[in-house]
Amino acid sequence: MNAHLQPQTHLHRVELKSKDYKNETTSFWCAGCGHYGVLTGLLRALSEIGVDPNYLVSVSGIGCSSRLPYFVNSYKMHTLHGRAGPVATGVHLARPDLAVVITGGDGDGFSIGGGHMPHMARKNINMTYILMDNHVYGLTKGQCSPTSRTEMKTSTTPYGGVEIPLDPILYMLTYGATYVGQAFAGNVKLASQLIKDGMEHKGFAFINLLSQCPSFNEIDTAHAFKDACEQVPDGHDTSDLNAAMCAVNAAKQVGRIPTGLIYKTERPTLDQRMAELVKHVGGHKDYDLRKIIDLARP
Ligand SMILES: Cc1ncc(C[n+]2csc(CCOP(=O)(O)OP(=O)(O)O)c2C)c(N)n1
C-alpha cells in the first residue's frame, strides 16, 4: 500500500501563525455576520495545532457559510448543495493522511444534505464537520431552515413556523458522532478550542457554531445567542452519552443553549476498520471487472 494510503495516525504539522492560514481572498460576508467568528476560530485552531496547509483540505457545499474554504490557505472543494459530506468522505478515503474539514450551513447540512449526516457519524469517519448554524438560509435571502425557531417569521413562514426545530447536537449524539461540541461563533476562544480538539480527535467530530445572520434572522441576534449560551456544568461527564443527552435536554427546557465539549468517546474509525478488513481477507483483491459485469447481466 502506498504510504499516503495508510490510515491517518497523526496530523502533518508545521509552525505557522493564524494569519498564515488566511489566503489573499477578501472574506465577503455581510457586516456583522457570525461567520467571521467561525473563520477566525478555524484559523486560530489551525495555527494552534500547526496543521500543514499542504495536508489540509476544506470542503463545503453551497451557502454563505460554504464560502469559507475560499478564504483558507488549504486545498479546497466547493461542491454541490448538501454534498460536502460525501465528497469529503471520498477525499478522506482516497487520502487518509490528509486533514479534512467540512464547513457549511444548517440548510446545507440538515435540509438538502440531511441524508448524509447520520452516516458520517455512525461510520465514525475521521473528519471534522463545522456547522455554521444561523437558523436560516442566508445565501438565498431568508427562508426557514430545519433549525429555525418556530416563532421565527421568514419569507417562507410569514406567520411563523409550523414545525419544531431540529437540534443538531441531539441528532449527532443519537447517530454516534464521537466528538460533539457547541459554541457561540462570537466566542472565538471556545470555538477555536473545540475545533482544535475536534481536529485532533480520531473520529467524526461535529461542532455546532451558532452564528448570527444580521440580514435575515432578526430574532437570533449576536446578543440573543450570547445570552442564551451556557457552558455545560462543571463535572459534566463528557464520556457518558446519557449524561450528554440529559445535559442538552435540561438546558433546552429552560431556554438555554448548552455550550462546550458535550460528548467525546473513542471508537474505531472507518479507515481503521477498512484496513483491518483488508488485512483479514489477506490484502486487496484483484477483481475481473468483465466477470462482475457478466454476472450482473439478466
Ligand atoms: C440543488 C440546490 N437547491 C437549492 C439551492 C439554493 N440554495 C443555495 S444555498 C441554500 C441554502 C443556504 O442556507 P444554509 O446552508 O443554512 O447556509 P447560509 O447561507 O445560511 O450560511 C439554498 C436553498 C442550490 N444552490 N442548489
Side-chain angles (χ1 to χ4, degrees):
M1 201 190 255
N2 290 338
H4 72 254
L5 293 180
Q6 300 290 348
Q8 182 193 309
T9 50
H10 62 275
L11 297 167
H12 292 264
R13 296 180 199 248
V14 287
E15 226 173 88
L16 290 173
K17 298 206 160 61
S18 64
K19 67 176 174 51
D20 300 326
Y21 289 94
K22 175 75 187 72
N23 64 16
E24 282 155 19
T25 310
T26 309
S27 36
F28 43 78
W29 292 301
C30 303
C33 175
H35 295 352
Y36 287 105
V38 179
L39 177 62
T40 309
L42 175 62
L43 300 177
R44 197 180 283 183
L46 293 172
S47 160
E48 280 172 17
I49 303 170
V51 182
D52 184 342
N54 293 309
Y55 288 86
L56 173 64
V57 190
S58 37
V59 184
S60 66
I62 302 291
C64 297
S65 35
S66 292
R67 289 169 164 172
L68 189 140
Y70 288 4
F71 316 129
V72 180
N73 188 6
S74 69
Y75 288 98
K76 62 206 72 180
M77 295 181 84
H78 189 198
T79 73
L80 296 176
H81 194 25
R83 306 296 172 236
V87 173
T89 302
V91 172
H92 169 67
L93 288 178
R95 287 290 305 270
D97 59 324
L98 304 181
V100 180
V101 178
I102 304 168
T103 53
D106 35 296
D108 190 70
F110 282 105
S111 286
I112 193 166
H116 304 300
M117 295 304 245
H119 306 294
M120 284 183 278
R122 73 187 181 86
K123 291 176 186 177
N124 198 24
I125 304 175
N126 191 16
M127 8 185 237
T128 304
Y129 198 122
I130 304 171
L131 195 87
M132 298 158 72
D133 185 3
N134 57 11
H135 297 186
V136 74
Y137 292 179
L139 188 74
T140 45
K141 300 188 183 296
Q143 296 83 7
C144 163
S145 99
T147 60
S148 296
R149 285 201 272 147
T150 308
E151 61 270 37
M152 183 172 159
K153 292 180 180 152
T154 70
S155 56
T156 45
T157 52
Y159 305 105
V162 289
E163 300 146 354
I164 56 162
L166 178 152
D167 187 312
I169 297 294
L170 288 176
Y171 189 105
M172 282 297 158
L173 291 173
T174 303
Y175 283 106
T178 48
Y179 180 102
V180 179
Q182 180 157 255
F184 166 47
N187 185 346
V188 174
K189 190 173 173 217
L190 181 58
S192 66
Q193 181 67 52
L194 291 172
I195 297 171
K196 174 179 180 285
D197 292 350
M199 287 189 69
E200 287 181 323
H201 171 72
K202 184 117 183 73
F204 185 68
F206 179 81
I207 299 142
N208 201 51
L209 296 181
L210 297 149
S211 170
Q212 74 277 5
C213 174
S215 301
F216 300 107
N217 183 342
E218 288 177 359
I219 61 173
D220 299 306
T221 59
H223 281 300
F225 273 144
K226 195 173 168 210
D227 287 351
C229 282
E230 190 171 271
Q231 185 76 19
V232 282
D234 280 349
H236 165 67
D237 182 356
T238 54
S239 67
D240 182 335
L241 183 60
N242 285 329
M245 292 206 167
C246 287
V248 176
N249 279 321
K252 283 177 65 161
Q253 268 165 18
V254 290
R256 313 293 289 161
I257 302 173
T259 58
L261 175 61
I262 289 167
Y263 182 63
K264 183 177 171 173
T265 191
E266 297 289 330
R267 202 172 75 233
T269 56
L270 181 67
D271 51 327
Q272 285 174 333
R273 282 174 183 261
M274 297 291 278
E276 276 164 23
L277 185 66
V278 169
K279 200 170 155 202
H280 178 70
V281 299
H284 282 285
K285 304 277 176 203
D286 286 330
Y287 290 103
D288 182 341
L289 196 57
R290 174 61 49 199
K291 274 192 196 154
I292 296 173
I293 294 169
D294 285 346
L295 275 175
R297 282 210 178 104

